[in-house]
Amino acid sequence: DGGITQSPKYLFRKEGQNVTLSCEQNLNHDAMYWYRQDPGQGLRLIYYSQIVNDFQKGDIAEGYSVSREKKESFPLTVTSAQKNPTAFYLCASSGDYNSPLHFGNGTRLTVT
Amino acid sequence: GQQLNQSPQSMFIQEGEDVSMNCTSSSIFNTWLWYKQDPGEGPVLLIALYKAGELTSNGRLTAQFGITRKDSFLNISASIPSDVGIYFCAVKAAGNKLTFGGGTRVLVKP
């Protein structure tokens, strides 16, 4: 089945550690996105990539980094510089410009 | 970034009721989308609107793209228990980026 896979579903880390969240898609989509969701809030864009080897900052990129070495993969690293890393992280992808975004099922990160 | 105002923030439904929610912006957008999110999962696209004034249905859901291109509403008719969840409006900006509203949380009346 085609889709977007985020792993793991739940992730726990100690403060001060970097952590990388995985996002893989087999939809052959060019564009991929990372959003952050806090309790009771909407989604905020962290980073996005329109094509392999290229990515742009979203609205809340500070404390995060990404890479796009392969079309199907867009990992997100939450660095120790991110002041409030505990959140629900959602990855999405889309085909051409007119295509809506399709989301994975998210990774819930808890940093203590 | 752009701001979308979604209302109400939450609502209670009773099975069989029709419910409505809306989303407004101070800016004009050419694409409006409605997503639903179940607990612990990613949002799922319900309806996409591409033309001002357009009225589109998906089963018991109906959404309209406002004529001013600054608003949209979503109606759910004859609600059922599985309609609970969070409904988000979203607009498409340059680079195919989506900006989301704060969500309307739909709950079942106790």
Side-chain angles (χ1 to χ4, degrees), chain B residues 49-71:
Chain B
L49 301 160
Y50 298 106
K51 195 190 294 188
E54 178 182 3
L55 186 73
T56 298
S57 292
N58 177 8
R60 293 178 297 103
L61 306 175
T62 302
Q64 182 154 33
F65 187 161
I67 199 74
T68 64
R69 291 187 284 160
K70 291 184 177 181
D71 62 347

Side-chain angles (χ1 to χ4, degrees), chain A residues 32-89:
Chain A
M32 297 186 74
Y33 308 80
W34 275 105
Y35 285 84
R36 170 186 171 131
Q37 186 177 28
D38 293 287
Q41 307 281 325
L43 283 68
R44 293 183 291 167
L45 182 64
I46 304 172
Y47 267 98
Y48 65 105
S49 167
Q50 300 281 58
I51 200 163
V52 175
N53 292 322
D54 187 46
F55 49 83
Q56 284 83 40
K57 293 181 180 179
D59 299 320
I60 54 165
E62 186 175 347
Y64 298 97
S65 66
V66 292
S67 63
R68 187 85 188 278
E69 295 175 5
K70 297 187 295 182
K71 187 175 187 177
E72 58 270 23
S73 179
F74 191 39
L76 173 75
T77 297
V78 184
T79 75
S80 55
Q82 168 50 234
K83 293 189 178 7
N84 296 297
T86 294
F88 189 47
Y89 290 88

Side-chain angles (χ1 to χ4, degrees), chain B residues 1 16 19 25 30 37 43 49-50 55 59 61 74 82 86 90 93 95 100 106:
Chain B
V19 297
S25 169
N30 293 321
Q37 185 179 29
L49 301 160
Y50 298 106
L55 186 73
L61 306 175
L74 175 71
S82 62
I86 306 176
F100 285 81
V106 174

